[in-house]
Amino acid sequence: MFAYILRRVAATIPVMAVVALFVFSLLYIAPGDPAAIIAGDQASPADIERIRISLGLDRPFLVRFGSWVWDVLNGDLGTSIFTNLPVTHMIAQRIQPTLSLMAITLAISLTIAIPLGVVAAWKQGTMIDRVAMVFSTLGFSVPVFVVGYVLAYVFALSLDWVPVQGYTPIEQGVVPWFLNLILPSIALGLIYMALIARITRATMLEVLSQDYVRTARAKGAGQRAILFVHALKNAAVPIVTIVGIGFASLIGGAVVTESVFAIPGLGRLTVDAILRRDYPVIQGVVLMFSFVYVLVNLAVDLLYTLFDPRIRY
Amino acid sequence: MKRRHLLTAGAAFGATLAAPALVRAQSASTLKFIPQADLTVLDPHWTTAYVTRNHGYLVFDTLYGQDSSYAASPQMVAGHTIENGGLLWNLTLRPGLKWHDGTPVLASDCVASIQRWAKRDAFGGALMAATDELSAPDDKTIRFKLKKLFPLLPDALGKSPSVMPAMMPARLAATDAFTQVQEMVGSGPYKFVASERVPGAKAVYARNEAYVPRADGKTDWTAGPKIAHFDRVEWNTIPDPATAAAALQSGEQDWWDYATADLIPLLKKAKGVKVSVQDPSGQIAIMRMNHLQPPFNNPAIRRAILGAVDQSDVMQAVVGTDQAMWHDGVGVFCPGTPFATAAGMEVLTSKRDYAKVKADLKAAGYNGEKVVLIVASDFPVLKAMADVGADFLQKAGLNVDYQALDWGTVLKRRTSKDPIDKGGWNIFFTAWAGTDMLNPAGHLSLRGDGEKGWFGWPTSPEIESLRNAWFDAPDEATQKKLCDQIQRQVFVDVPYIPLGQYLQATAYRDTLTGVNNGFAMFWNVKRV
């Protein structure tokens, strides 16, 4: 197992290298010029050219790429063209809000979606099943920003229960931290809940029709034990898979959610950097996200062994 | 679970829900402000971005200020003397001025700052071109030995539009003008709190306890005493306008710099929110043509296009039908300012006759060449201008190729001087602050300095000659006459086309008083 983990971690290196080359090349050929954006609308072409040179943007592709790779290998993701701050510092500043958002989203989603899917499968064809699936379809269909606006209007602006926007670091109090994140987490988690609930329902339906479940019933096992001990554990592998895959959509959704709720997280950092062509920040964030994504997939693979002892690496 | 436990949990949850008050912006000494855009660049000499200029006025100070009548008055300087028939200016610094690092403000610091700023600013460039020697004969005196008369010297050093003539310590001003300074050390009424900065989200300023406001004068724009009432000013970037409006309504934020036009009716009805226009000079929308490529390398075609422009249509698309928020009949200089003139305006204000425009275009030699519009579709205001612009150009019979891009791509694309089949362009739309168009000094879009000038690269020796004469003019009456001539010449050479003026509303909690006229400034503002 340990050797497997080591192999998988080592396998991230070529993946990261490909991502790095791909992102760097894509940014190089993409239109846009950070020097022009920095200089502002009224700057002269000569001013822009001087800034471009001062930023080293006039250097050939291979020289820039080589220099960047060397810095990355030395643990330096570079310095933001605009803010003059190290990219690692900017990522560090933004990571807590995004991790907090994702953690609460994940917790809410799993807490609601799995029981919902289980109950929908158990009560297949009943009103409960239909309501659960309508909720699931809505979750898929309504865009994050619409849900966000509606939640903010109802719970923040009209009822005044929670803040409209912003983020309070957890060090300044768990309650304000949580209150700032509850609406964005629900908005972001809705599609995730829908996805997990549907997969849970479908997998549970398949499992519940198997012989060993009938045997368990025949032996007099209670409904709760059948559903959550016997059936759910065997349905867990596809559910865990979809939780891992859905992580990518969470990252994408975080970009929108963080903008709507003004959360200073990595999603907003990424969008801002792309709009400004802040190349070092884009490269740093994409590298980090791809690394995290690889690790999440590794975690999912390892979780398989927990739910299904037949799986061994 | 027992009922008692449930009730306890319910009460705890209720208390939790009541807690948002903890994160509200009701501290008596903190002003929470939503800037017009994120503050990415801190160096006010390094960019022309207005958000950086606004930040600059918190941290840095200027030798002169500018009041709402656009006149310069002493700010960091106690005053000045003029000798040798106007060729020798001695500016004397006020006593007690200190940088935020505690060191005294010296004349040599200001000399270095002026030299750095002038490399990035057109008005500053004109001042330095007229200067034979700039020196600091002692710690308090800044001396300009001029080659020729430059009566606008205080106006240049006190200009409020970008690029801000910010004073900084010589050690920072020694930084190349094209490289960003690393530290925010000014002498303004607030200090920048670098440790609390979160780029893209937050910038924090703390009151500069050592700041000595002017003892005389009245606070008006950047002129007069700057009295900081708040201990802290927090800028919170909220990229989504609807969220910004909601944060203001709920009291989480105190002030939203640029309230978007579509949300103004909502904010006007909101309890506890005040909406006002603080800057009567607003923004001037413009259409810029590429003078190096056909068909707009032909002046007769450019002149013909003037007949197709309908400023009121453009303005309605940008800010709506409330005519209090926009003006048409806008010429080269900002309406309501000293050099605004009606000279030659009939080309824009007469009845629009598209049949005549078509005939004029044909007579000028237009043969249906493609006209590439590069449009920043991620800026609603610029997109609205371009949508209407494309419409009137099509009505005039032009073969319009509307290319929707993002602003970053427009900024890059417009640097291209190539033909359109090699990635070039014909027209882009943008807007300038009205204060950028007060006079010919900082008004870059009217320049006719060819390929070294602003994008579009118009060449007009006549306009350049009139502009130079304006700098040399002995009095305002002569300057006004020259501005009349400049405007007439602009309608002959057509370096750009004005599309109207729109005003920018700002919105703030009605508990704030003393919100200054002009752009967002933070002195004099207090909570009642």
Side-chain angles (χ1 to χ4, degrees):
Chain A
M1 173 73 93
F2 184 67
Y4 173 76
I5 294 172
L6 275 184
R7 270 203 315 278
R8 284 291 302 270
V9 171
T12 61
I13 294 168
V15 172
M16 304 292 286
V18 170
V19 168
L21 181 62
F22 181 71
V23 172
F24 201 95
S25 309
L26 205 64
L27 291 175
Y28 188 77
I29 57 172
D33 180 5
I37 298 170
I38 286 165
D41 195 13
Q42 291 101 322
S44 71
D47 285 355
I48 292 170
E49 194 50 39
R50 290 281 300 272
I51 291 174
R52 190 179 290 127
I53 292 167
S54 81
L55 295 172
L57 296 171
D58 58 328
R59 294 180 301 160
F61 173 82
L62 284 177
V63 174
R64 284 167 55 192
F65 183 64
S67 155
W68 179 68
V69 168
W70 178 252
D71 289 344
V72 169
L73 289 176
N74 285 291
D76 178 7
L77 290 176
T79 303
S80 161
I81 291 172
F82 285 78
T83 64
N84 242 338
L85 294 169
V87 174
T88 44
H89 173 78
M90 293 176 76
I91 290 175
Q93 274 187 324
R94 303 296 197 97
I95 205 158
Q96 194 203 70
T98 300
L99 282 183
S100 302
L101 177 64
M102 290 198 172
I104 296 180
T105 303
L106 209 59
I108 292 175
S109 303
L110 296 179
T111 309
I112 294 174
I114 292 178
L116 196 68
V118 170
V119 171
W122 175 37
K123 299 285 183 186
Q124 187 196 9
T126 65
M127 186 57 79
I128 295 175
D129 182 24
R130 288 197 191 106
V131 169
M133 287 308 102
V134 165
F135 165 79
S136 171
T137 309
L138 273 177
F140 270 125
S141 319
V142 185
V144 172
F145 68 90
V146 173
V147 179
Y149 286 141
V150 170
L151 290 175
Y153 180 76
V154 174
F155 295 103
L157 212 50
S158 302
L159 297 173
D160 199 20
W161 286 358
V162 287
V164 172
Q165 52 79 44
Y167 175 75
T168 307
I170 198 163
E171 309 88 85
Q172 292 177 22
V174 174
V175 172
W177 169 79
F178 182 73
L179 289 173
N180 267 128
L181 290 172
I182 183 73
L183 294 187
S185 299
I186 294 171
L188 177 59
L190 210 57
I191 189 166
Y192 205 46
M193 283 181 226
L195 186 70
I196 296 168
R198 285 184 83 94
I199 293 294
T200 305
R201 178 182 178 273
T203 318
M204 284 293 286
L205 281 176
E206 194 185 325
V207 172
L208 286 172
S209 67
Q210 290 188 7
D211 291 345
Y212 75 90
V213 173
R214 195 168 57 241
T215 307
R217 280 210 178 96
K219 284 169 69 182
Q223 192 62 44
R224 192 183 297 177
I226 289 171
L227 286 176
F228 291 98
V229 178
H230 296 287
L232 185 58
K233 193 175 178 190
N234 282 296
V237 169
I239 297 170
V240 169
T241 307
I242 210 71
V243 168
I245 292 170
F247 184 79
S249 68
L250 265 192
I251 293 173
V255 171
V256 179
T257 313
E258 287 176 2
S259 293
V260 169
F261 290 96
I263 297 169
L266 289 168
R268 262 179 67 194
L269 178 68
T270 313
V271 173
D272 291 345
I274 290 169
L275 289 174
R276 292 185 197 120
R277 313 295 193 272
D278 197 344
Y279 301 139
V281 177
I282 302 171
Q283 286 152 192
V285 172
V286 172
L287 263 191
M288 192 212 63
F289 275 137
S290 54
F291 182 66
V292 169
Y293 195 63
V294 169
L295 288 188
V296 166
N297 276 297
L298 174 61
V300 167
D301 286 352
L302 296 178
L303 277 175
Y304 288 162
T305 61
L306 201 69
F307 294 114
D308 188 347
R310 290 169 301 180
I311 300 174
R312 282 283 171 267
Y313 299 114
Chain B
M1 182 185 273
K2 290 181 178 171
R3 199 165 67 104
R4 189 170 61 239
H5 293 155
L6 188 67
L7 289 173
T8 308
F13 186 60
T16 302
L17 293 178
L22 294 172
V23 292
R24 290 285 155 83
Q26 297 308 319
S27 162
S29 60
T30 300
L31 177 69
K32 295 205 170 191
F33 172 78
I34 308 167
Q36 56 184 265
D38 178 44
L39 177 69
T40 45
V41 174
L42 300 179
D43 182 347
H45 291 169
W46 202 48
T47 179
T48 60
Y50 298 128
V51 70
T52 300
R53 182 270 315 262
N54 297 356
H55 145 86
Y57 272 95
L58 273 161
V59 179
F60 299 94
D61 212 347
T62 50
L63 294 175
Y64 291 84
Q66 188 178 49
D67 65 23
S68 54
S69 65
Y70 309 104
S73 64
Q75 184 52 260
M76 286 174 78
V77 297
H80 60 248
T81 59
I82 308 171
E83 297 164 34
N84 286 358
L87 291 175
L88 181 69
W89 290 62
N90 284 314
L91 284 52
T92 309
L93 289 171
R94 278 198 283 136
L97 299 179
K98 281 187 177 169
W99 300 117
H100 294 165
D101 61 8
T103 57
V105 174
L106 303 177
S108 54
D109 294 318
C110 299
V111 166
S113 300
I114 294 166
Q115 284 167 335
R116 184 171 191 263
W117 160 75
K119 286 177 187 154
R120 300 301 306 271
D121 183 75
F123 208 169
L127 170 61
M128 293 314 288
T131 301
D132 186 29
E133 187 188 342
L134 172 60
S135 61
D138 59 56
D139 285 350
K140 291 286 172 199
T141 309
I142 302 157
R143 176 170 293 163
F144 281 90
K145 267 189 195 168
L146 300 178
K147 289 185 259 186
K148 61 177 187 173
L149 293 178
F150 201 89
L152 298 168
L153 188 145
D155 299 78
L157 296 174
K159 61 171 285 194
S160 64
S162 293
V163 176
M164 177 196 178
M167 295 298 115
M168 53 184 69
R171 65 186 174 85
L172 298 183
T175 311
D176 174 59
F178 294 88
T179 304
Q180 191 172 190
V181 292
Q182 301 289 326
E183 263 183 278
M184 284 294 100
V185 177
S187 63
Y190 282 91
K191 293 178 178 180
F192 184 69
V193 185
S195 59
E196 292 192 49
R197 181 188 183 203
V198 182
K202 193 175 189 182
V204 177
Y205 306 86
R207 183 165 53 198
N208 174 15
E209 302 295 349
Y211 185 75
V212 183
R214 287 197 73 82
D216 58 336
K218 175 175 157 271
T219 305
D220 186 14
W221 285 44
T222 62
K226 297 177 178 177
I227 298 166
H229 293 288
F230 284 96
D231 295 331
R232 275 165 68 92
V233 175
E234 285 184 15
W235 286 23
N236 296 297
T237 305
I238 300 182
D240 185 82
T243 308
L248 183 67
Q249 285 174 272
S250 69
E252 288 168 35
Q253 299 293 323
D254 296 307
W255 185 0
W256 182 19
D257 190 10
Y258 271 22
T260 52
D262 55 332
L263 291 167
I264 290 172
L266 173 87
L267 291 171
K268 279 183 174 169
K269 286 183 199 159
K271 197 178 162 194
V273 174
K274 196 171 174 184
V275 178
S276 67
V277 173
Q278 299 301 119
D279 181 1
S281 65
Q283 307 274 320
I284 311 281
I286 70 165
M287 182 173 101
R288 183 74 160 185
M289 292 169 279
N290 184 347
H291 290 234
L292 300 183
Q293 297 297 335
F296 299 120
N297 56 354
N298 178 342
I301 290 180
R302 297 197 299 269
R303 281 194 289 274
I305 296 297
L306 287 167
V309 173
D310 187 329
Q311 292 190 346
S312 66
D313 281 355
V314 178
M315 289 298 100
Q316 285 183 55
V318 170
V319 278
T321 51
D322 180 0
Q323 217 167 336
M325 296 301 290
W326 56 266
H327 299 116
D328 54 4
V330 174
V332 170
F333 301 103
C334 180
T337 62
F339 298 113
T341 167
M345 279 301 291
E346 55 282 358
V347 295
L348 287 172
T349 56
S350 59
K351 193 171 181 305
R352 306 292 83 179
D353 180 350
Y354 290 100
K356 181 177 181 306
V357 176
K358 280 182 183 171
D360 288 348
L361 282 171
K362 195 173 178 189
Y366 178 65
N367 288 319
E369 297 96 329
K370 195 189 278 184
V371 172
V372 172
L373 269 61
I374 49 171
V375 180
S377 57
D378 54 339
F379 270 60
V381 165
L382 302 187
K383 183 176 180 300
M385 288 176 207
D387 288 348
V388 178
D391 180 58
F392 65 62
L393 292 170
Q394 279 166 341
K395 279 188 200 164
L398 291 173
N399 175 15
V400 172
D401 178 6
Y402 181 107
Q403 297 190 6
L405 310 165
D406 74 313
W407 179 235
T409 306
V410 168
L411 288 176
K412 168 70 177 170
R413 179 89 173 266
R414 72 180 189 180
T415 62
S416 170
K417 293 177 180 175
D418 292 334
I420 56 167
D421 57 352
K422 290 184 177 157
W425 58 278
N426 292 118
I427 288 176
F428 72 85
F429 298 83
T430 190
W432 289 53
T435 47
D436 285 318
M437 297 185 168
L438 293 178
N439 57 46
H443 194 323
L444 291 187
S445 43
L446 69 74
R447 296 289 303 269
D449 49 348
E451 294 204 39
K452 65 177 185 180
W454 196 54
F455 310 97
W457 310 284
T459 300
S460 171
E462 292 81 8
I463 291 176
E464 287 297 293
S465 160
L466 288 165
R467 181 176 180 269
N468 290 335
W470 183 87
F471 280 115
D472 298 338
D475 52 47
E476 192 171 308
T478 313
Q479 286 177 329
K480 281 186 175 176
K481 278 184 193 162
L482 285 162
C483 284
D484 284 1
Q485 291 176 50
I486 287 172
Q487 181 156 297
R488 288 185 193 282
Q489 193 61 41
V490 164
F491 293 141
V492 173
D493 296 324
V494 200
Y496 78 101
I497 299 180
L499 299 177
Q501 178 195 40
Y502 59 95
L503 303 178
Q504 179 60 57
T506 194
Y508 49 92
R509 301 294 302 173
D510 61 5
T511 49
L512 292 185
T513 62
V515 173
N516 295 324
N517 283 331
F519 55 88
M521 289 169 268
F522 299 87
W523 48 88
N524 219 35
V525 184
K526 55 183 161 184
R527 203 193 310 278
V528 289

PDB file of all heavy atoms in Angstrom, chain B residues 11-30:
ATOM      1  N   ALA B  11     -32.352  27.900  21.031  1.00  0.00           N
ATOM      2  CA  ALA B  11     -31.947  29.216  21.524  1.00  0.00           C
ATOM      3  C   ALA B  11     -30.539  29.545  21.055  1.00  0.00           C
ATOM      4  O   ALA B  11     -30.245  30.668  20.636  1.00  0.00           O
ATOM      5  CB  ALA B  11     -32.026  29.242  23.042  1.00  0.00           C
ATOM      6  N   ALA B  12     -29.677  28.543  21.113  1.00  0.00           N
ATOM      7  CA  ALA B  12     -28.286  28.765  20.669  1.00  0.00           C
ATOM      8  C   ALA B  12     -28.253  29.099  19.188  1.00  0.00           C
ATOM      9  O   ALA B  12     -27.519  29.990  18.744  1.00  0.00           O
ATOM     10  CB  ALA B  12     -27.462  27.508  20.933  1.00  0.00           C
ATOM     11  N   PHE B  13     -29.093  28.411  18.418  1.00  0.00           N
ATOM     12  CA  PHE B  13     -29.143  28.674  16.975  1.00  0.00           C
ATOM     13  C   PHE B  13     -29.661  30.094  16.708  1.00  0.00           C
ATOM     14  O   PHE B  13     -29.132  30.822  15.862  1.00  0.00           O
ATOM     15  CB  PHE B  13     -30.043  27.640  16.306  1.00  0.00           C
ATOM     16  CG  PHE B  13     -30.045  27.734  14.814  1.00  0.00           C
ATOM     17  CD1 PHE B  13     -28.871  27.575  14.089  1.00  0.00           C
ATOM     18  CD2 PHE B  13     -31.228  27.982  14.121  1.00  0.00           C
ATOM     19  CE1 PHE B  13     -28.876  27.658  12.704  1.00  0.00           C
ATOM     20  CE2 PHE B  13     -31.224  28.065  12.752  1.00  0.00           C
ATOM     21  CZ  PHE B  13     -30.060  27.899  12.037  1.00  0.00           C
ATOM     22  N   GLY B  14     -30.676  30.481  17.530  1.00  0.00           N
ATOM     23  CA  GLY B  14     -31.225  31.839  17.392  1.00  0.00           C
ATOM     24  C   GLY B  14     -30.163  32.882  17.662  1.00  0.00           C
ATOM     25  O   GLY B  14     -30.027  33.861  16.934  1.00  0.00           O
ATOM     26  N   ALA B  15     -29.379  32.641  18.702  1.00  0.00           N
ATOM     27  CA  ALA B  15     -28.299  33.585  19.031  1.00  0.00           C
ATOM     28  C   ALA B  15     -27.278  33.630  17.910  1.00  0.00           C
ATOM     29  O   ALA B  15     -26.739  34.684  17.566  1.00  0.00           O
ATOM     30  CB  ALA B  15     -27.633  33.146  20.325  1.00  0.00           C
ATOM     31  N   THR B  16     -27.052  32.478  17.316  1.00  0.00           N
ATOM     32  CA  THR B  16     -26.114  32.404  16.200  1.00  0.00           C
ATOM     33  C   THR B  16     -26.596  33.257  15.038  1.00  0.00           C
ATOM     34  O   THR B  16     -25.834  33.990  14.418  1.00  0.00           O
ATOM     35  CB  THR B  16     -25.987  30.936  15.743  1.00  0.00           C
ATOM     36  OG1 THR B  16     -25.551  30.186  16.834  1.00  0.00           O
ATOM     37  CG2 THR B  16     -25.042  30.798  14.596  1.00  0.00           C
ATOM     38  N   LEU B  17     -27.888  33.169  14.772  1.00  0.00           N
ATOM     39  CA  LEU B  17     -28.425  33.932  13.647  1.00  0.00           C
ATOM     40  C   LEU B  17     -28.378  35.426  13.915  1.00  0.00           C
ATOM     41  O   LEU B  17     -28.310  36.233  12.995  1.00  0.00           O
ATOM     42  CB  LEU B  17     -29.865  33.494  13.360  1.00  0.00           C
ATOM     43  CG  LEU B  17     -30.015  32.073  12.842  1.00  0.00           C
ATOM     44  CD1 LEU B  17     -31.477  31.731  12.652  1.00  0.00           C
ATOM     45  CD2 LEU B  17     -29.260  31.887  11.543  1.00  0.00           C
ATOM     46  N   ALA B  18     -28.430  35.797  15.182  1.00  0.00           N
ATOM     47  CA  ALA B  18     -28.389  37.223  15.511  1.00  0.00           C
ATOM     48  C   ALA B  18     -26.985  37.785  15.395  1.00  0.00           C
ATOM     49  O   ALA B  18     -26.788  38.979  15.387  1.00  0.00           O
ATOM     50  CB  ALA B  18     -28.903  37.440  16.926  1.00  0.00           C
ATOM     51  N   ALA B  19     -26.003  36.910  15.273  1.00  0.00           N
ATOM     52  CA  ALA B  19     -24.616  37.349  15.309  1.00  0.00           C
ATOM     53  C   ALA B  19     -24.113  38.174  14.133  1.00  0.00           C
ATOM     54  O   ALA B  19     -23.066  38.778  14.256  1.00  0.00           O
ATOM     55  CB  ALA B  19     -23.720  36.140  15.491  1.00  0.00           C
ATOM     56  N   PRO B  20     -24.823  38.251  12.970  1.00  0.00           N
ATOM     57  CA  PRO B  20     -24.253  39.050  11.900  1.00  0.00           C
ATOM     58  C   PRO B  20     -23.885  40.453  12.327  1.00  0.00           C
ATOM     59  O   PRO B  20     -23.028  41.076  11.726  1.00  0.00           O
ATOM     60  CB  PRO B  20     -25.351  39.083  10.847  1.00  0.00           C
ATOM     61  CG  PRO B  20     -26.148  37.889  11.092  1.00  0.00           C
ATOM     62  CD  PRO B  20     -26.018  37.569  12.530  1.00  0.00           C
ATOM     63  N   ALA B  21     -24.542  40.946  13.368  1.00  0.00           N
ATOM     64  CA  ALA B  21     -24.200  42.287  13.828  1.00  0.00           C
ATOM     65  C   ALA B  21     -22.710  42.405  14.114  1.00  0.00           C
ATOM     66  O   ALA B  21     -22.131  43.466  14.006  1.00  0.00           O
ATOM     67  CB  ALA B  21     -25.003  42.613  15.074  1.00  0.00           C
ATOM     68  N   LEU B  22     -22.103  41.254  14.456  1.00  0.00           N
ATOM     69  CA  LEU B  22     -20.672  41.272  14.747  1.00  0.00           C
ATOM     70  C   LEU B  22     -19.843  41.705  13.555  1.00  0.00           C
ATOM     71  O   LEU B  22     -18.762  42.240  13.698  1.00  0.00           O
ATOM     72  CB  LEU B  22     -20.214  39.863  15.173  1.00  0.00           C
ATOM     73  CG  LEU B  22     -20.768  39.321  16.480  1.00  0.00           C
ATOM     74  CD1 LEU B  22     -20.372  37.870  16.633  1.00  0.00           C
ATOM     75  CD2 LEU B  22     -20.238  40.144  17.642  1.00  0.00           C
ATOM     76  N   VAL B  23     -20.363  41.403  12.356  1.00  0.00           N
ATOM     77  CA  VAL B  23     -19.556  41.706  11.178  1.00  0.00           C
ATOM     78  C   VAL B  23     -20.055  42.942  10.445  1.00  0.00           C
ATOM     79  O   VAL B  23     -19.653  43.220   9.342  1.00  0.00           O
ATOM     80  CB  VAL B  23     -19.509  40.503  10.202  1.00  0.00           C
ATOM     81  CG1 VAL B  23     -18.748  39.369  10.821  1.00  0.00           C
ATOM     82  CG2 VAL B  23     -20.901  40.070   9.807  1.00  0.00           C
ATOM     83  N   ARG B  24     -20.921  43.702  11.053  1.00  0.00           N
ATOM     84  CA  ARG B  24     -21.433  44.912  10.415  1.00  0.00           C
ATOM     85  C   ARG B  24     -20.411  46.037  10.463  1.00  0.00           C
ATOM     86  O   ARG B  24     -19.519  46.072  11.297  1.00  0.00           O
ATOM     87  CB  ARG B  24     -22.727  45.353  11.109  1.00  0.00           C
ATOM     88  CG  ARG B  24     -23.871  44.411  10.830  1.00  0.00           C
ATOM     89  CD  ARG B  24     -24.388  44.636   9.413  1.00  0.00           C
ATOM     90  NE  ARG B  24     -25.023  43.463   8.893  1.00  0.00           N
ATOM     91  CZ  ARG B  24     -26.280  43.120   9.123  1.00  0.00           C
ATOM     92  NH1 ARG B  24     -27.036  43.864   9.861  1.00  0.00           N
ATOM     93  NH2 ARG B  24     -26.772  42.042   8.592  1.00  0.00           N
ATOM     94  N   ALA B  25     -20.634  47.035   9.591  1.00  0.00           N
ATOM     95  CA  ALA B  25     -19.686  48.133   9.453  1.00  0.00           C
ATOM     96  C   ALA B  25     -20.077  49.322  10.297  1.00  0.00           C
ATOM     97  O   ALA B  25     -20.082  50.435   9.842  1.00  0.00           O
ATOM     98  CB  ALA B  25     -19.607  48.545   7.995  1.00  0.00           C
ATOM     99  N   GLN B  26     -20.463  49.074  11.529  1.00  0.00           N
ATOM    100  CA  GLN B  26     -20.981  50.178  12.316  1.00  0.00           C
ATOM    101  C   GLN B  26     -19.952  50.771  13.273  1.00  0.00           C
ATOM    102  O   GLN B  26     -20.308  51.596  14.106  1.00  0.00           O
ATOM    103  CB  GLN B  26     -22.234  49.726  13.086  1.00  0.00           C
ATOM    104  CG  GLN B  26     -23.375  49.316  12.176  1.00  0.00           C
ATOM    105  CD  GLN B  26     -23.709  50.369  11.133  1.00  0.00           C
ATOM    106  OE1 GLN B  26     -23.724  51.558  11.412  1.00  0.00           O
ATOM    107  NE2 GLN B  26     -23.961  49.940   9.905  1.00  0.00           N
ATOM    108  N   SER B  27     -18.713  50.341  13.165  1.00  0.00           N
ATOM    109  CA  SER B  27     -17.709  50.945  14.031  1.00  0.00           C
ATOM    110  C   SER B  27     -17.622  52.430  13.735  1.00  0.00           C
ATOM    111  O   SER B  27     -17.593  52.850  12.589  1.00  0.00           O
ATOM    112  CB  SER B  27     -16.365  50.283  13.769  1.00  0.00           C
ATOM    113  OG  SER B  27     -15.344  51.099  14.262  1.00  0.00           O
ATOM    114  N   ALA B  28     -17.552  53.210  14.823  1.00  0.00           N
ATOM    115  CA  ALA B  28     -17.541  54.665  14.652  1.00  0.00           C
ATOM    116  C   ALA B  28     -16.277  55.130  13.956  1.00  0.00           C
ATOM    117  O   ALA B  28     -16.238  56.205  13.387  1.00  0.00           O
ATOM    118  CB  ALA B  28     -17.670  55.328  16.003  1.00  0.00           C
ATOM    119  N   SER B  29     -15.222  54.324  13.986  1.00  0.00           N
ATOM    120  CA  SER B  29     -13.965  54.827  13.451  1.00  0.00           C
ATOM    121  C   SER B  29     -13.481  54.093  12.217  1.00  0.00           C
ATOM    122  O   SER B  29     -12.366  54.301  11.787  1.00  0.00           O
ATOM    123  CB  SER B  29     -12.905  54.751  14.546  1.00  0.00           C
ATOM    124  OG  SER B  29     -12.769  53.402  14.942  1.00  0.00           O
ATOM    125  N   THR B  30     -14.291  53.236  11.678  1.00  0.00           N
ATOM    126  CA  THR B  30     -13.887  52.541  10.451  1.00  0.00           C
ATOM    127  C   THR B  30     -14.890  52.836   9.334  1.00  0.00           C
ATOM    128  O   THR B  30     -16.089  52.659   9.518  1.00  0.00           O
ATOM    129  CB  THR B  30     -13.822  51.014  10.672  1.00  0.00           C
ATOM    130  OG1 THR B  30     -12.868  50.744  11.688  1.00  0.00           O
ATOM    131  CG2 THR B  30     -13.400  50.288   9.409  1.00  0.00           C
TER     132      THR B  30
END
